[in-house]
């Protein structure tokens, strides 16, 4: 959920990249980080697969006179890591779903989206959703329209075609995600009450620590 930074008054929002395994979530966040000149941290990668998460703190944009501070996280896609994914999804303002539009990625994309929607449905205040149709460079990939049909997306869900390995479409999708997060914050302020405050955005280390702590408690 969106926060206000108690010392600076900045609006803090959280954006999470979700999607099937190997869809290009890490690649997307790294391409975005390079474009906006914010460092990306990755934790415990094994054979190129994310085991914990990738993280970026990024200051960008103004809403209602307040600078916006984004916490951006890329989730691990492997199905065995569901508990970590759910823990990282808590408090998210926008989920940016990275679909693998290439042929071999299509069924995993449908499965991962169903998984996300099942989670989304039971949230009190569900985050916004933006979709990235990744791997457009691979012949035979679904374009945005085909993906929209396959996922039964509502017309209001933004969908952006991308090639993460060329940084194409990545920033465009992120802008939609920030906009959705900010709209949600405005909606919460209007319908729920003043936004909670917090002492600055979270850092990657803090999130990793909390995540490892909750894993210990759960076991
Ligand atoms: N052709 C093509 N390959 C891509 C694209 N995006 C990512 N890849 C490749 O797909 C593979 C997986 O990318 P990652 O970013 O590691 O995938 P991920 O979604 O983070 O995977 P997990 O962390 O295991 O969930 C890598 O070999 C990338 O280079 C793309 O747009 N086009
Ligand atoms: Mg990854």
């Amino acid at each position: 959920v969106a926060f206000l930074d108690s010392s600076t008054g900045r609006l803090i929002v959280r954006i999470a990249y979700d999607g099937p395994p190997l869809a290009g979530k890490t690649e997307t966040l790294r391409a975005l980080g390079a474009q906006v000149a914010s460092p990306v941290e990755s934790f415990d990668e094994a054979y190129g697969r994310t085991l914990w998460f990738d993280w970026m703190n990024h200051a960008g944009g103004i809403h209602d006179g307040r600078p916006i501070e984004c916490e951006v996280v890329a989730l691990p896609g492997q199905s065995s890591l569901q508990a970590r994914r759910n823990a990282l999804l808590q408090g998210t303002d926008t989920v940016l779903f990275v679909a693998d539009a290439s042929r071999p990625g299509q069924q995993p994309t449908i499965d991962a989206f169903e998984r996300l929607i099942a989670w989304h449905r039971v949230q009190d205040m569900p985050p916004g959703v933006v979709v990235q149709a990744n791997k457009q460079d691979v012949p035979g990939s679904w374009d945005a329209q085909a993906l929209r049909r396959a996922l039964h997306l509502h017309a209001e869900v933004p969908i952006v075609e991308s090639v993460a390995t060329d940084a194409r479409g990545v920033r465009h999708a992120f802008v939609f995600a920030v906009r959705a997060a900010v709209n949600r914050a405005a909606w919460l302020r209007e319908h729920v009450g003043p936004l909670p405050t917090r002492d600055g955005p979270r850092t990657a280390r803090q999130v990793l620590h909390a995540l490892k702590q909750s894993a210990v408690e759960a076991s």
Side-chain angles (χ1 to χ4, degrees), residues 4-205:
L4 291 180
D5 187 325
S6 49
S7 53
T8 64
R10 285 168 183 242
L11 176 68
I12 305 171
V13 296
R14 166 87 62 99
I15 292 165
Y17 287 99
D18 191 14
L22 301 174
K25 300 177 292 296
T26 298
E27 200 77 46
T28 293
L29 183 52
R30 287 184 181 155
L32 178 70
Q35 284 195 341
V36 301
S38 290
V40 174
E41 290 176 80
S42 297
F43 294 96
D44 284 9
E45 223 172 283
Y47 306 103
R49 315 296 307 277
T50 304
L51 292 183
W52 291 94
F53 59 86
D54 313 288
W55 184 270
M56 179 180 85
N57 287 101
H58 173 65
I62 302 249
H63 172 67
D64 220 4
R66 294 180 185 281
I68 304 167
E69 185 81 45
C70 301
E71 300 174 348
V72 192
V73 63
L75 307 186
Q78 294 181 71
S79 55
S80 58
L81 302 175
Q82 185 68 40
R84 283 178 197 175
R85 253 197 315 281
N86 283 352
L88 289 164
L89 278 171
Q90 289 308 322
T92 294
D93 295 289
T94 308
V95 176
L96 216 168
F97 183 84
V98 179
D100 183 345
S102 72
R103 281 229 179 84
Q106 291 172 353
Q107 190 57 46
T109 290
I110 290 172
D111 296 343
F113 195 70
E114 276 176 6
R115 181 178 81 190
L116 173 64
I117 291 306
W119 172 86
H120 194 264
R121 220 176 266 134
V122 297
Q123 300 308 303
D124 283 339
M125 287 182 282
V129 175
V130 172
V131 174
Q132 213 180 285
N134 197 36
K135 304 199 184 178
Q136 290 300 311
D137 59 317
V138 180
S141 287
W142 276 333
D143 63 9
Q145 218 183 352
L147 181 63
R148 187 180 282 285
R149 269 197 305 273
L151 299 184
H152 308 289
L153 293 182
H154 291 299
E156 71 268 20
V157 175
I159 178 162
V160 177
E161 294 180 353
S162 69
V163 182
T165 38
D166 293 338
R168 179 153 77 82
V170 162
R171 190 155 185 186
H172 187 190
F174 182 69
V175 168
F176 274 117
V178 174
R179 195 174 300 156
V182 163
N183 287 343
R184 182 166 180 271
W187 187 92
L188 287 173
R189 210 176 39 203
E190 194 169 317
H191 294 92
V192 181
L195 295 175
T197 58
R198 205 173 65 201
D199 189 20
R202 269 170 279 223
T203 66
R205 292 275 155 198

